[in-house]
Amino acid sequence: MDWQQIANGSWIWICGAVLAAIALYQCTSFALLAVKLLRRYGLEKREVMGMLRGAAITSVGPILVELFVMVALVVALSPGIAWQREGAAVGSVITELIQATNAAAGAGQELGGDNFDLIGFANVIFVMNISCIGWMLAAGFFTRYLGRARQKIAGGDDRWLIVLSVCATLGIFGFWASTNLVKGGGALVAVVAGAILAAFFFKLADRIGKPRLKEWALGLAMFGGMFIGKLSAGWGG
Amino acid sequence: MRTGKKLQAICPKVYAEEFSRPVHKIGMITCGLAVLANLLPPAWLYLQYGVFPPAAAIAKGMGLALTYAVPFFIIEPIIYYPVLGDAGTYMSFLSGNIANMRLPCAAVAQAVAGVEEGTREGELIGTVGIALSIWLSIFAVLIGALATGWFVQFFSPWLQDAFKSYLLPATWGAVFGLFALRGLRYAPAALVLALTVILLKWPPYIAIPITVFGTILVGRVIYCHSHGRTLGPDRQRTPEL
């Protein structure tokens, strides 16, 4: 059976719905507990509505950006998998793409490549779902100890935690970017164009005083880099 | 619409009994259920279609994935906890999109209500803001996945090839470019290490850990050197990365 047929089956939509139901139950329970206490201590109903309106307006931009970037996951795998991983799973679209690429590489294949088959797909499903469990375990079992853990690991130097995260991200994305750099041609151009465009849009947002542009910078750079890469490879290439 | 003056200070005992305790209970149970829900897709794929990846592919794939993810399992909850609080941490690490959506929504709700982050009132109000953003994003992603899947079939062969061949390279480049801006002095080390192991044709399960941990090590050396520190942690704070 072709992996794309399986990837579009109803089973994956149901799996996504189960995860979404758990997330909705959790956040609704927490919100009701919070509102109950806030109302008792003097917060009025119209003020609760004001908070909700502010949070809703703030959500719109990031949600649109997420949907824009999610096209990559839909095209690389399937709409059902994009729903299962992005409806209520911890990883962003970019995280899921890197984990899918890692999983395909583990099976000796290339995500989106001609050699990607059912075994590669099964490995992507396994690795994407299992590798994110660490975040849930960390939250589920260690949240109550996080205040103390933060002090121990940072040793009073919070800035180092940020540098460590930046270095880990540069390492993994540097690796996968480099695998395309050495291919040359359109792939090399797409990597370089994506990097330059992302940096450009980020700097531009600062220069023209439009911080909201930063939310769109990554998506614009991804698609801009893709088109430039394809055009450099030739119209028919 | 600022309510900070009207909202009374919440009694710590009431807060612990009526918010913190049930939050930890519900948080642990729901995170446990989410772990089980993540086991469902590979299990279903095997039970319905009889497909399961070979052990070697799983070992290599998980090795690569965890090389990337493990530092973030530890670092992210610690970094975000002071802003998110208990309930926000449980919600954010189940539903994702922390930096781009959950944190801004919590901050806006707190600003509208006129309370400060890190306080009990701030955590309650941030919880409401994050919860709403989760409802909105889940339904938006459902509609978006259905709509995008429908649209993709109308893409021309040229556009389909552009997506298939060049979107991922552009994505890796874009994210690298973005993070290079945040840590310009660490980016060359990542590229040099990555290109070296690739040109040596080492397999990814060796090459990726070397690149990631090598970049972290070089980052630590540069960080300590540029701030005149020893390699061990100290308590001096610095304004830049």
Side-chain angles (χ1 to χ4, degrees), chain A residues 26 28 40-41 46-47 52 58-59 85 87 112 123 131 135 140 144 150 155 157 159 172 230 235 237, chain B residues 1 3 8 18 24 28 30 38 57 68 73 76 78 105 108 132 135 138 158 161 164 223 229 234 238:
Chain A
Q26 185 198 61
T28 308
R40 198 196 308 167
Y41 279 83
R46 64 182 180 85
E47 292 161 344
L52 293 177
T58 308
S59 299
R85 297 309 308 154
N123 212 36
S131 66
W135 275 291
R144 61 181 71 206
R150 179 186 173 87
D157 184 1
R159 187 68 55 179
I172 190 74
K230 175 67 179 168
W235 191 255
Chain B
M1 197 69 203
T3 65
Q8 301 160 30
E18 297 189 25
H24 284 306
M28 283 184 71
T30 46
N38 274 287
Y68 170 60
F73 292 166
E76 284 192 336
I78 291 170
C105 286
V108 165
L132 181 78
W135 270 93
I138 284 178
W158 185 90
D161 184 62
K164 190 179 163 197
Y223 178 76
R229 298 171 173 197
D234 66 26
T238 50

Side-chain angles (χ1 to χ4, degrees), chain A residues 6 11 13 15 19 22-28 30-31 33-34 37-38 40-41 43 46-47 51-52 54-56 58-59 62-63 66-67 70-72 75 79 83-85 87-90 94 97-99 101-102 106 112 114 118-119 122-123 126-127 129-132 134-136 138-141 143-144 146 150 153 155 157-163 165 167 169-176 178-180 182 186-187 190-191 194-195 198-199 202-203 222-223 225-227 230 233 235 237, chain B residues 1 3 6-11 14 18 23-24 26 28 30-31 33-34 37-39 41 44-45 49 51-54 57-58 60-61 64-65 68 72-76 78-79 81 86-87 89-91 93-97 100 104-105 108-109 124-125 127-129 131-133 135-138 140-142 145-146 148-149 158-159 161-164 166-167 169-176 178-182 186 190-191 194-195 198 207-208 211-212 215 219-220 223 229 234-235 237-238 241:
Chain A
I6 295 176
W11 67 282
W13 291 92
C15 290
L19 204 51
I22 295 167
L24 290 175
Y25 169 76
Q26 185 198 61
C27 75
T28 308
F30 289 171
L33 285 169
L37 212 53
L38 284 166
R40 198 196 308 167
Y41 279 83
L43 198 72
R46 64 182 180 85
E47 292 161 344
M51 280 160 40
L52 293 177
T58 308
S59 299
I63 286 173
E66 193 190 3
L67 296 181
M70 201 174 72
V71 176
V75 173
W83 154 245
Q84 195 259 329
R85 297 309 308 154
V90 67
I94 305 296
L97 281 173
I98 200 96
Q99 297 302 48
T101 306
N102 285 332
D114 292 333
L118 195 52
I119 294 297
N123 212 36
F126 187 94
V127 170
N129 282 282
I130 307 299
S131 66
C132 74
W135 275 291
M136 287 159 205
F141 297 107
T143 294
R144 61 181 71 206
L146 282 176
R150 179 186 173 87
I153 291 185
D157 184 1
D158 294 348
R159 187 68 55 179
W160 165 240
L161 288 180
I162 300 169
V163 171
S165 302
C167 287
T169 308
L170 283 170
I172 190 74
F173 286 95
F175 178 84
W176 288 115
S178 298
T179 58
N180 287 286
V182 298
V191 170
F202 236 68
K203 285 286 180 192
M222 281 167 58
F223 288 101
M226 177 189 83
F227 281 115
K230 175 67 179 168
W235 191 255
Chain B
M1 197 69 203
T3 65
K6 289 182 190 170
L7 190 62
Q8 301 160 30
I10 295 170
C11 168
V14 172
E18 297 189 25
V23 157
H24 284 306
I26 295 168
M28 283 184 71
T30 46
C31 284
L33 288 173
N38 274 287
L39 301 176
W44 198 323
L45 189 61
Y49 299 101
V51 185
F52 201 77
I58 290 177
K60 287 178 188 169
L64 296 178
Y68 170 60
F72 293 98
F73 292 166
I74 302 162
I75 300 292
E76 284 192 336
I78 291 170
I79 287 176
Y81 177 76
D86 291 329
T89 300
Y90 285 119
M91 287 189 284
F93 286 92
L94 203 158
S95 301
N97 288 298
N100 65 331
C105 286
V108 165
L124 293 177
I125 282 167
T127 298
V128 179
L132 181 78
S133 78
W135 270 93
L136 290 176
S137 64
I138 284 178
V141 166
L142 177 60
L146 289 167
T148 311
W158 185 90
L159 194 55
D161 184 62
F163 270 97
K164 190 179 163 197
Y166 302 110
L167 184 58
T171 303
W172 310 147
V175 179
F176 186 83
L178 215 56
F179 275 83
L181 274 186
R182 293 188 60 193
Y186 315 112
L191 273 186
L195 286 169
I198 289 166
I208 290 179
T211 310
V212 172
T215 308
R220 182 68 188 167
Y223 178 76
R229 298 171 173 197
D234 66 26
R235 296 185 185 282
R237 294 195 178 230
T238 50
L241 296 183

